[in-house]
Structure formats: structure tokens, C-alpha cells
């Protein structure tokens, strides 16, 4: 049982919760995630990255977007309620060292898991440029938090309602092109399609790019293999060997297909990632 | 195997029962050996294809006593030696024949802690029943005394009486033992160590207890209520359970000693690392490890679509790769989840299948189609990345291999296509590496199994291990056998340590 200490609505369908989890606070490192259920009997197990942790009140911060049954249920939990199932920290921590110049790219809700990583990279002595992207101003989260960490913060929105009217790949490419700003490492966290195109953007410039994958999981301990992805010639389990991998080696198309495993045929036709289609169309446009 | 309805079985047994138990002269051994083996009554296959209730419904009192009379009480019983926990088998069977079920269960509990589970899932035909004199006389291991069914009968009888008395616990010693994993090995260690008065905490990664017995073995073979019962007995003994706790991640293994002051640790984390074939198309949508498929259906209750939030893959044509009990469980689960055609694809013949005969028979009754001497070559998908079929190869049997089984040899050019939407890979499990990878002090072999000495001690003092994490994927009873050994060693270690 993990008590909810704080709840906040960050945007139309994005929530922040601080949850009492002393053991997780003690062990967790940037890049790791938890699995939760909103009901012990019948709930689904979903992974969420730990956005932050505080030793003051022994809490971890979770930020989630309401996209399905479990996140809808979760959004109905209030301060004082207990989460029936919370387990973690899971996965391997981000490899933090002084790379030199790093660019942290966060798309939509992906800014939440990116935040502790950017923080740790900064603390390790890196020069940190952060690019945050979202569909519109309303969906930009953690701007202030990122601003205090980053040496440079670039905000992009698809509709131009805030910051640059651009996809995150645009400023990323500009940084890669210019020898003076060319990053030594890029870490991109966001929708799979964004991570795919960030990886495609940096590849020609040979910039090491890490992505954090959020696949379907059940146990989170390597037992079920539901989270497996193709990374280069290997099959990796995201839950125990990830969640971060070399973006240039990840088979994003297979990963995205696997993410939609349980979408019904009709639903799939109607829904099939309007976000993805939009994104792809826009990438085409900007070329 | 001929097949009788429950009513037919009870009619038949009544006649035999009256004949045996209304005599004035006791039966001669020869007559005992000729008593017909008692069939296990089962749910009708057309009904059970649509539910998750237990398939084997259990012996009636008459059947149990008649079956018990088939045991001739050998002077040197091989069954005891063939049992990993050396249950006094002739002893408890005699008590059943004598209608003293309480004594029967008491005898079993002298050495076995989870009889209602073992009676259901032990492979008796390769253990206690393999050298049974009655079976040898009848020249068929399937005609041996049905030891497992009798064990289950008395364990169920006790549960139905509601009189289960938890084993006595000695006065508190102040010593603390951590048990990692609540599967069969862990539960046995918990009981044995707690009985000596040590404080015991069982850590479980999942939100439900029982390990593979909960997430893997389906309800139709081992109902969850049975596991709940065993856990509740342990709770009454004062064993503590800490769920949602991944040792290695939530806490480093050795921190349980350093930070939480546990004096000893038992690792029973099992064989939770699914193996795949390494063939083309294995990551397509619609390919599952048996672990994932069964965990969704069992632990996460996906079969209960009305209530469960966890989805399962709606399949029409399913192939299960493998020939063990996990393959049978997966295939039979697929039937219950509504698949129309379910194939078990196995590259050897029925004779070499590691699955229990009873499970194979049940699977056949449920309409599962067995494709022997065939194996997957590659899995094909459509433009959406979903499975559409599997290219298979035919095999023939060649020379015996290291395991003594004739090696299957590919017939060149025998490729053919099987139209499918789902493939379940059930070719085995490796040891779950989570604990060993996060505990560099532990020594493992090349398969990732923890290396232990004859007392089940690992390379770290005070840390013991047993079950599949040591054996590789094995059985519930072997895990329990190892657990008993480890528990004895832990108890000895704690007496000697201060």
C-alpha cells in the first residue's frame, strides 16, 4: 500500500502525484521505473517512470497522461488514498557520466522521466541543452523544473502556440549540424515515433543517442518477455536490460506494432496513432 | 484411455466397494492386485472447454478406499525412496483403506507440507508410482496405485473438514530469516524454518503469493483457493508476507542482512526467464512466451473479461511450441480463451514428450491437435506486424542423444505452412537472473543457476538457495525437496550462529 501525498493536474489530461514509497526512494536512480495497479484483484500492471523522489517525505513523483483504463482509474485516486500495488524501482538506471555536451529531448509526457536524468547529467558536469516538445502550449509540462537544470532550454509546439513552431527534431538537427554545438550524447524520451525520428536525425551525424522505451510489461522482472524489443541483432527485455537503449539500433516499427498488440482491429483502424500519422506527415513536410 | 462419466464411475465403484469391504475374510494380495484401478472423475470435456474450474474433480470416499486396497503394503516399499520428500506412502494409504483419513493426512504431513498441491501437480508416474509393485504386476505404470490421487483425496478431505491445525511453532528465537520468492520452495522453507521459532518474512515480487503455482499453473489444474489455503496456514504460524517487493531491486539481497538485520536468506526465485526459439518472426505481434500467456490468464485474470483490466490476445488458430506441462497448460488455456484450432507442435514423438500422460490425455479430450515430428522454422506476419502463419519442418527420429531420447532429424525440403494468428513458445525457462545480477557475490554456473553445496548453501555465508533457481526448470515437488534440505541447513546454521 502506498499513500498518495499530493495530486496536481498539470494539463488537460496530465497528472502529477507524489506517492509515499520509502524503500523506492532509498534505492531508485535516474531512469528507473515502477509498476503499479489500481486494483489488486483485477487491475492491469502498467509501468511508469519515476519522475522525481524526495527524501523529505519519502515520496516518489509519478507523472502520467490519461490514455487508457488504468491511467483513467489512477487519475481518480486522491490525496490520502492508497495505491494497492506499487513495485520498484525496476530497470537499469541511466548511465550517468560526464559526456561533455548533452542534449535531452522530451516529448509530451516524456519530459517527466527525462527530468531526473537531465538533473543527474547536469550534476555530473555536462553542459545540458534541453528540448521540450508538445502538441500545444497546454501540454508543455515541467518547464520551470527543466529551466533550472538546463544550460539552454528550447521549447517547441506543433501548433506554434508556445515557443518555436517546430518538431523537436528541427532544433536537434541544428545542434548536430553545427560543430560548435554538436552533442556528445543525446537522450530522447517521448512517444515512440518521436524517439524514432530523433534517432534518425542524429544517426547521420554519428551522435550517440539513447532512448527510453515504454513497452507492454506484466511482471517487470524478466519473467514474461512481453516487453522484448529488437536492438541490433539482439532481442532485449526492456524491463531488466532497459529501459534505455541505443536509439540507432532499436527496431521502432516492431516496437510500435507490439505496443498496439491488444488494440482491436476496428479500434486500430480508427485510432491507429493519429499522433504517429501527424508526426510522420510533419516530418515529411519539414524535409 | 476409456472414458466414463462421473455417474458411471460411482456406479462401478459401489459394486467393488461393497464386495471388498463387506467380506469376512480379508483380501489376498493376489486379489488386491486385481482390483481395477480407479479412474479420476473429470469434468465433461465439452463443458470444461468453456470454464476454468478444476478438470479432475477428485475421488469419492468409496473410490479412495477401493484404490487404497490396491496397495499391497510391500515390505520394502520403493515408492518411499522414489519420493523427493520420502512420504510414508504405504502408511497413509493403509489409513485410507481403514477409513482413518485424519491419520492418513497426519502421516503425510510428517514429511510433506503441501499435500493438496503435490497430490495435484507432482509427476507421480516418474516418481513414487514408477516402481510400484501393483503397477509392475499389471505391467503398466498407469495401473500403479494412484498415490497422487490418494494424497490429494486426504488433503482435500482435511480442508473440507475445516480442521486444519497449523503445525506447532517453537518459542521465538529472535533470529530472522528472509525468503525470496513465494513459490513452492520458498513456502516449504518458510514453514520449516518458522516451526523452529525463527521469525520468517517471505518477499514476493508479484501482488499475489504462490509464484509459478499462481502465475503459471492454471486454475483448471491447481485452483487458487488451494494456494490461498496453504498460505493462510503459514500466516497462522506467524510467517510474514511482503508482496510487491523485488529483492535485487527494491532492496539488494545482502542489504536484507546489512540493513534489515536478517540472519539468513533463502533464495527461491525460480526459473522465470522464458526461452525463445531464435527464429525469424519471433517478435511479431501474436507471439508470446508461455509465461506471458499464462500469467495474463491466470494471475491477471484476463479470462474474466468482464472484470479484468488485463487484455488477452483473441485467437482463432494457435500453435504451441514445446511438449512439456507448460505447453499443455498453454494449449488448454488457449481453448478456454476461445481459440478454434489449437496445435501442439513438437519435434519428437508422443513417447518423448515430457508432459504428464494425464495432461496430454486431457488435452486430447479437449480437442487439441498434436503435430508430432514437426517444428517451427519461421513465423510469418502481415504488414501490420501480426502473425499470419508459421513455416514448419517435418522430422524423423535418428540415433539416441545424450538424454537417451532418439534425436529428431530434419527431413530436408519438408517445409509446409500452418495458418495461424498466435504462437505460444513453451520450450522452457532459464533461471531468472535478477538476483544474481544484482548480487555479484553469488556464484552461478554457465546457465545462470546458483551454485550451492550439498546443504544448499550458496557462495555467501548464511545465504541458501533451492528450487528452479538451482535446478533449472524442474517440478514443484523437487523444489519442495530442495526447500526442506535448505531449511534444515538454515535451522542448523542459526543454532550455531550467535
Amino acid at each position: 500500500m502506498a499513500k498518495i501525498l499530493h495530486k496536481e493536474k498539470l494539463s488537460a489530461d496530465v497528472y502529477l502525484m507524489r506517492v509515499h514509497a520509502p524503500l523506492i526512494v532509498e534505492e531508485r536512480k535516474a531512469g528507473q521505473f515502477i509498476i503499479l495497479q489500481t486494483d489488486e484483484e483485477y487491475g492491469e500492471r502498467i509501468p511508469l517512470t519515476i519522475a522525481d523522489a524526495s527524501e523529505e517525505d519519502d515520496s516518489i513523483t509519478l507523472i502520467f497522461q490519461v490514455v487508457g483504463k488504468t491511467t483513467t482509474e489512477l487519475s481518480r485516486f486522491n490525496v490520502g488514498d492508497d495505491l494497492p500495488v506499487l513495485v520498484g524501482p525496476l530497470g537499469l538506471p541511466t548511465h550517468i557520466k560526464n559526456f561533455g555536451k548533452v542534449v535531452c529531448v522530451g516529448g509530451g509526457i516524456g519530459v517527466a522521466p527525462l527530468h531526473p536524468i537531465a538533473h543527474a547529467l547536469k550534476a555530473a558536469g555536462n553542459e545540458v541543452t534541453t528540448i521540450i516538445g508538445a502538441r500545444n502550449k497546454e501540454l508543455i509540462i515541467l518547464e520551470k523544473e527543466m529551466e533550472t537544470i538546463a544550460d539552454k532550454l528550447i521549447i517547441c509546439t506543433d501548433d506554434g502556440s508556445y515557443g518555436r513552431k517546430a518538431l523537436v527534431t528541427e532544433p536537434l538537427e541544428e545542434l548536430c549540424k553545427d560543430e560548435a554545438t554538436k552533442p556528445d550524447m543525446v537522450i530522447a524520451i517521448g512517444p515512440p515515433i518521436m524517439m524514432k525520428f530523433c534517432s534518425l536525425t542524429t544517426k547521420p551525424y554519428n551522435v550517440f543517442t539513447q532512448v527510453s522505451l515504454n513497452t507492454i510489461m506484466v511482471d517487470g522482472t524478466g519473467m514474461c518477455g512481453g516487453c522484448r524489443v529488437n536492438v541490433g541483432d539482439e532481442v532485449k527485455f526492456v524491463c531488466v536490460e532497459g529501459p534505455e537503449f541505443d536509439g540507432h539500433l532499436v527496431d521502432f516499427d516492431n516496437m510500435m506494432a507490439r505496443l498496439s498488440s491488444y488494440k482491436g482491429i476496428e479500434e486500430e483502424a480508427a485510432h491507429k496513432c493519429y499522433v504517429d500519422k501527424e508526426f510522420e506527415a510533419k516530418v515529411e513536410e519539414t524535409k | 484411455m476409456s472414458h466414463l462419466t462421473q455417474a458411471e464411475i460411482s456406479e462401478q465403484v459401489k459394486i467393488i466397494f461393497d464386495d471388498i469391504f463387506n467380506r469376512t475374510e480379508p483380501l489376498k494380495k493376489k486379489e488386491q492386485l486385481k482390483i481395477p484401478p480407479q479412474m479420476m472423475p473429470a469434468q465433461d470435456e465439452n463443458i470444461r472447454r468453456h470454464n476454468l474450474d478444476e478438470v479432475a474433480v477428485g475421488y469419492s470416499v468409496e473410490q479412495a478406499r477401493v484404490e487404497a486396497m490396491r496397495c499391497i503394503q510391500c515390505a520394502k516399499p520403493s515408492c518411499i525412496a522414489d519420493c523427493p520428500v520420502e512420504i510414508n506412502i504405504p502408511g497413509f494409504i493403509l489409513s485410507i483403506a481403514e477409513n482413518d483419513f485424519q491419520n492418513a493426512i497426519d502421516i503425510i504431513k510428517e514429511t510433506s507440507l503441501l499435500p493438496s498441491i503435490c497430490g495435484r501437480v507432482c509427476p507421480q508416474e516418474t516418481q513414487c508410482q514408477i516402481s510400484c509393485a501393483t503397477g509392475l504386476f499389471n505391467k503398466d505404470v498407469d495401473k500403479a496405485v494412484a498415490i497422487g490421487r490418494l494424497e490429494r483425496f486426504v488433503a482435500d478431505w482435511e480442508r473440507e473438514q475445516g480442521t486444519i491445525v497449523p503445525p506447532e511453532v517453537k518459542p521465538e528465537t529472535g533470529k530472522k530469516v528472509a525468503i525470496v520468492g513465494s513459490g513452492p520452495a520458498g513456502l516449504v522453507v518458510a514453514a520449516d524454518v518458522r516451526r523452529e521459532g525463527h521469525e520468517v518474512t517471505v518477499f514476493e515480487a508479484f501482488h499475489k503469493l504462490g509464484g509459478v503455482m499462481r502465475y503459471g499453473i492454471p486454475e483448471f489444474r491447481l485452483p487458487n483457493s488451494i494456494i490461498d489455503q496453504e498460505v493462510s496456514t503459514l500466516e497462522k504460524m506467524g510467517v510474514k508476507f511482503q508482496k510487491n517487493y523485488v529483492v535485487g531491486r527494491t532492496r539488494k539481497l545482502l542489504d536484507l542482512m546489512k540493513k534489515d538485520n536478517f540472519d539468513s536468506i533463502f533464495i527461491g526465485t525460480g526459473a522465470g526467464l522464458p526461452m525463445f526459439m531464435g527464429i525469424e518472426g519471433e517478435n511479431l505481434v501474436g507471439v508470446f512466451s508461455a509465461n506471458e500467456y499464462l500469467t495474463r490468464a491466470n494471475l491477471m485474470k484476463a479470462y474474466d473479461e468482464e472484470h479484468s483490466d488485463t487484455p488477452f490476445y483473441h485467437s482463432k488458430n494457435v500453435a504451441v511450441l514445446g511438449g512439456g506441462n507448460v505447453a499443455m497448460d498453454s494449449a488448454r488455456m488457449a481453448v478456454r480463451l476461445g481459440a478454434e484450432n489449437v496445435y501442439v507442435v513438437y519435434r519428437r514423438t508422443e513417447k518423448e514428450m515430457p508432459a504428464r500422460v494425464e495432461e496430454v490425455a486431457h488435452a486430447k479430450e479437449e480437442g487439441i491437435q498434436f503435430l508430432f515430428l514437426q517444428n517451427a522454422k519461421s513465423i510469418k506476419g502481415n504488414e501490420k506486424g501480426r502473425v499470419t502463419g508459421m513455416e514448419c519442418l517435418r522430422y524423423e527420429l535418428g540415433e539416441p542423444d545424450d538424454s537417451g531420447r532418439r534425436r529428431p532429424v530434419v527431413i530436408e525440403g519438408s517445409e509446409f505452412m500452418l495458418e495461424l494468428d498466435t504462437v505460444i513458445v513453451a520450450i522452457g525457462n532459464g533461471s531468472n537472473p535478477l538476483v544474481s545480477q544484482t548480487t555479484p557475490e553469488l556464484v552461478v554456473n554457465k546457465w545462470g543457476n546458483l551454485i550451492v553445496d550439498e546443504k544448499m548453501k550458496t557462495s555467501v555465508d548464511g545465504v541458501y538457495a533451492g528450487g528452479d533457481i538451482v535446478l533449472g526448470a524442474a517440478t514443484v515437488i523437487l523444489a519442495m525437496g530442495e526447500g526442506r534440505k535448505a531449511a534444515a541447513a538454515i535451522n542448523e546454521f542459526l543454532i550455531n550462529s550467535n
Side-chain angles (χ1 to χ4, degrees):
Chain A
M1 295 287 231
K3 198 172 286 299
I4 293 166
L5 305 177
H6 174 85
K7 178 185 176 184
E8 195 181 329
K9 202 169 179 177
L10 297 186
S11 71
D13 54 0
V14 176
Y15 291 83
L16 177 150
M17 277 180 183
R18 281 197 293 110
V19 185
H20 189 245
L23 288 169
I24 300 177
V25 170
E26 204 177 322
E27 288 290 327
R28 73 98 212 183
K29 292 197 174 71
Q32 289 187 295
F33 63 93
I34 54 93
I35 282 180
L36 62 78
Q37 283 173 239
T38 53
D39 183 87
E40 195 183 48
E41 275 317 303
Y42 294 107
E44 187 175 12
R45 291 170 73 86
I46 61 159
L48 284 177
T49 311
I50 302 166
D52 205 351
S54 161
E55 283 175 14
E56 265 167 51
D57 57 0
D58 280 335
S59 71
I60 56 167
T61 301
L62 303 175
I63 297 178
F64 61 95
Q65 187 165 16
V66 176
V67 286
K69 176 86 195 294
T70 304
T71 43
T72 305
E73 289 289 325
L74 185 58
S75 72
R76 291 182 185 141
F77 277 69
N78 288 309
V79 172
D81 291 344
D82 281 312
L83 267 182
V85 174
L86 177 73
V87 59
L90 300 171
L92 298 176
T94 309
H95 180 54
I96 301 289
K97 66 167 191 179
N98 191 345
F99 293 91
K101 286 196 284 291
V102 299
V103 176
C104 299
V105 188
I109 193 77
V111 180
L114 188 65
H115 173 246
I117 296 170
H119 191 272
L121 285 168
K122 180 67 194 168
N126 290 283
E127 186 189 322
V128 177
T129 302
T130 300
I131 305 172
I132 298 180
R135 287 212 302 279
N136 56 47
K137 180 178 181 182
E138 154 83 340
L139 296 173
I140 294 284
I141 58 165
L142 299 182
E143 182 191 347
K144 278 205 186 76
E145 288 81 352
M146 281 303 204
E147 202 167 22
T148 56
I149 295 167
D151 296 287
K152 189 178 175 200
L153 177 67
I154 302 166
I155 293 174
C156 307
T157 51
D158 294 5
D159 63 356
S161 54
Y162 194 51
R164 270 176 78 169
K165 182 177 190 300
L167 295 172
V168 290
T169 44
E170 269 181 58
L172 179 61
E173 176 139 35
E174 289 160 16
L175 291 167
C176 290
K177 259 184 192 162
D178 186 345
E179 270 308 314
T181 56
K182 187 176 170 183
D184 298 296
M185 194 273 281
V186 169
I187 183 157
I189 309 182
I193 192 78
M194 183 210 92
M195 295 192 281
K196 174 183 169 178
F197 280 99
C198 284
S199 301
L200 288 173
T201 301
T202 57
K203 200 167 182 189
Y205 302 99
N206 210 11
V207 173
F208 176 50
T209 300
Q210 299 191 72
V211 292
S212 178
L213 306 183
N214 192 345
T215 50
I216 291 174
M217 285 182 195
V218 185
D219 60 299
T221 64
M223 187 275 285
C224 86
C227 63
R228 64 194 191 278
V229 287
N230 295 316
V231 180
D233 297 333
E234 291 176 285
V235 176
K236 297 277 190 187
F237 285 9
V238 173
C239 69
V240 286
E241 298 172 285
E244 284 158 28
F245 295 100
D246 182 341
H248 296 158
L249 297 178
V250 171
D251 178 352
F252 284 102
D253 293 339
N254 176 256
M255 179 207 159
M256 287 186 273
R258 290 185 58 81
L259 269 173
S260 67
S261 290
Y262 294 100
K263 294 214 169 82
I265 308 294
E266 310 91 321
E267 193 195 344
E268 185 184 293
H271 179 81
K272 210 243 161 203
C273 303
Y274 68 98
V275 188
D276 293 9
K277 290 246 169 70
E278 268 175 34
F279 199 99
E280 262 175 276
K282 277 185 195 130
V283 170
E284 285 306 315
E285 246 172 61
T286 55
K287 270 186 183 166
Chain B
M1 207 182 280
S2 63
H3 195 63
L4 297 179
T5 65
Q6 291 184 47
E8 286 164 345
I9 289 174
S10 69
E11 228 171 86
Q12 278 192 1
V13 73
K14 208 164 174 338
I15 300 163
I16 306 168
F17 183 86
D18 289 343
D19 177 45
I20 296 174
F21 293 100
N22 291 335
R23 289 166 177 259
T24 40
E25 288 288 303
L27 280 182
K28 295 195 180 88
K29 276 195 178 157
K30 264 220 162 123
E31 292 172 308
Q32 282 183 279
L33 289 167
K34 286 178 181 164
I35 300 171
Q38 289 305 299
M39 233 177 251
M40 178 58 109
Q43 259 199 88
D44 183 88
E45 54 263 32
N46 293 315
I47 298 170
R48 71 180 194 241
R49 280 174 62 95
H50 307 289
N51 69 42
L52 257 85
D53 298 342
E54 196 169 13
V55 169
V57 295
Y59 277 163
S60 63
V61 169
E62 287 82 12
Q63 273 193 293
R65 291 189 60 201
V66 167
E67 185 66 28
M69 285 303 291
R70 300 183 65 238
C71 171
I72 55 169
Q73 299 292 320
C74 301
K76 286 181 185 164
S78 59
C79 51
I80 299 181
D82 289 338
C83 169
V85 295
E86 296 180 354
I87 295 175
N88 176 4
I89 291 166
F92 93 79
I93 291 182
L94 183 63
S95 291
I96 294 178
E98 290 170 345
N99 207 17
D100 188 351
F101 304 144
Q102 186 61 54
N103 197 49
I105 190 69
D106 289 344
I107 290 172
I108 293 174
K109 285 192 163 175
E110 285 167 12
T111 51
S112 174
L113 294 160
L114 309 169
S116 54
I117 294 173
C118 292
R120 285 172 165 81
V121 300
C122 264
Q124 290 96 7
E125 63 275 15
T126 60
Q127 295 179 162
C128 54
Q129 289 172 202
I130 197 165
S131 310
C132 167
T134 305
L136 294 176
F137 176 83
N138 287 291
K139 298 191 177 63
D140 184 352
V141 69
D142 291 337
K143 290 180 179 154
V145 177
I147 299 167
R149 294 170 183 175
L150 290 172
E151 180 184 22
R152 167 184 166 167
F153 169 79
V154 278
D156 286 357
W157 174 85
E158 187 193 32
R159 199 175 59 255
E160 281 154 20
Q161 304 299 304
T163 54
I164 295 179
V165 182
E168 209 174 302
V169 173
K170 290 187 183 161
E172 300 294 332
T173 61
K175 298 274 167 62
K176 282 173 69 177
V177 178
I179 290 169
V180 187
S182 67
L187 294 186
V188 163
V189 177
D192 274 5
V193 171
R194 179 66 193 137
R195 283 209 275 209
E196 294 304 307
H198 307 306
E199 189 184 320
V200 173
T201 305
V202 179
F203 295 94
E204 167 57 45
F206 269 129
H207 54 291
K208 295 270 177 173
L209 301 167
V212 72
M213 301 183 290
R214 175 85 61 175
Y215 72 73
I217 302 177
E219 283 254 39
F220 56 79
R221 243 176 11 104
L222 177 62
N224 285 337
S225 58
I226 307 247
I227 305 165
D228 292 340
Q229 174 69 56
E230 302 293 359
V231 167
S232 120
T233 304
L234 290 172
E235 279 174 336
K236 283 184 195 139
M237 291 168 69
V239 172
K240 295 176 196 163
F241 289 94
Q242 176 78 58
K243 297 184 283 188
N244 305 308
Y245 195 111
V246 181
V247 172
R249 294 267 199 250
T250 308
R251 259 280 195 264
K252 298 280 177 286
L253 183 88
L254 298 184
D255 280 350
L256 289 172
M257 288 169 139
K258 286 178 211 150
K259 291 186 181 172
D260 301 324
N261 304 316
F262 282 97
D263 299 288
S264 180
I265 300 173
F266 173 78
I267 307 169
T269 46
L273 178 70
M275 291 180 189
F276 287 92
M277 303 275 290
I279 57 174
E280 180 198 324
E282 222 167 7
N283 274 12
L284 288 167
V285 178
V287 184
F288 302 90
S289 73
N291 289 2
E292 180 182 2
Y293 195 79
L294 290 171
T295 300
R296 283 178 181 276
N298 294 327
L299 174 78
M300 305 309 296
K301 299 192 168 77
Y303 62 85
D304 184 355
E305 276 195 282
E306 198 190 325
H307 297 104
S308 179
D309 293 343
T310 301
F312 69 86
Y313 204 66
H314 290 245
S315 312
K316 273 197 178 128
N317 301 303
V318 180
V320 178
L321 308 181
N325 288 321
V326 178
M328 297 307 110
D329 287 344
S330 305
R332 298 173 68 194
M333 185 59 89
V335 166
R336 284 158 175 79
L337 294 180
E340 288 163 17
N341 291 297
V342 180
Y343 309 98
V344 167
V345 180
Y346 183 57
R347 66 191 185 120
R348 302 177 192 247
T349 70
E350 179 159 7
K351 213 172 77 193
E352 286 88 15
M353 272 176 100
R356 296 191 62 199
V357 173
E358 185 174 319
E359 308 309 330
V360 178
H362 280 151
K364 284 181 176 170
E365 288 167 13
E366 289 163 15
I368 285 150
Q369 301 161 60
F370 286 82
L371 308 182
F372 293 117
L373 289 168
Q374 298 174 31
N375 203 7
K377 186 184 176 193
S378 66
I379 303 167
K380 307 293 182 198
N382 61 14
E383 71 292 343
K384 286 179 179 164
R386 287 176 180 250
V387 172
T388 54
M390 186 164 79
E391 188 185 23
C392 300
L393 279 168
R394 293 185 199 281
Y395 285 68
E396 57 194 353
L397 288 183
E399 296 299 308
D401 64 11
D402 296 345
S403 70
R405 300 183 296 182
R406 288 178 67 192
R407 189 192 300 275
V409 183
V410 170
I411 302 174
E412 293 301 332
S414 63
E415 285 89 348
F416 68 101
M417 282 295 291
L418 204 56
E419 225 170 271
L420 299 170
D421 47 56
T422 306
V423 177
I424 303 170
V425 185
I427 57 167
N429 272 280
S431 292
N432 189 296
L434 214 153
V435 167
S436 55
Q437 277 175 7
T438 52
T439 317
E441 296 87 346
L442 289 173
V443 179
V444 297
N445 67 15
K446 64 176 169 175
W447 297 284
N449 301 325
L450 292 178
I451 293 179
V452 293
D453 66 14
E454 69 286 352
K455 288 188 167 174
M456 314 306 295
K457 188 180 90 61
T458 66
S459 47
V460 181
D461 278 346
V463 180
Y464 297 77
D468 283 0
I469 190 69
V470 170
L471 295 163
T475 61
V476 167
I477 187 71
L478 283 175
M480 290 185 182
E482 294 221 314
R484 298 224 76 169
K485 242 166 53 177
I490 291 170
N491 287 332
E492 192 188 315
F493 168 79
L494 291 176
I495 287 173
N496 297 331
S497 73
N498 276 304

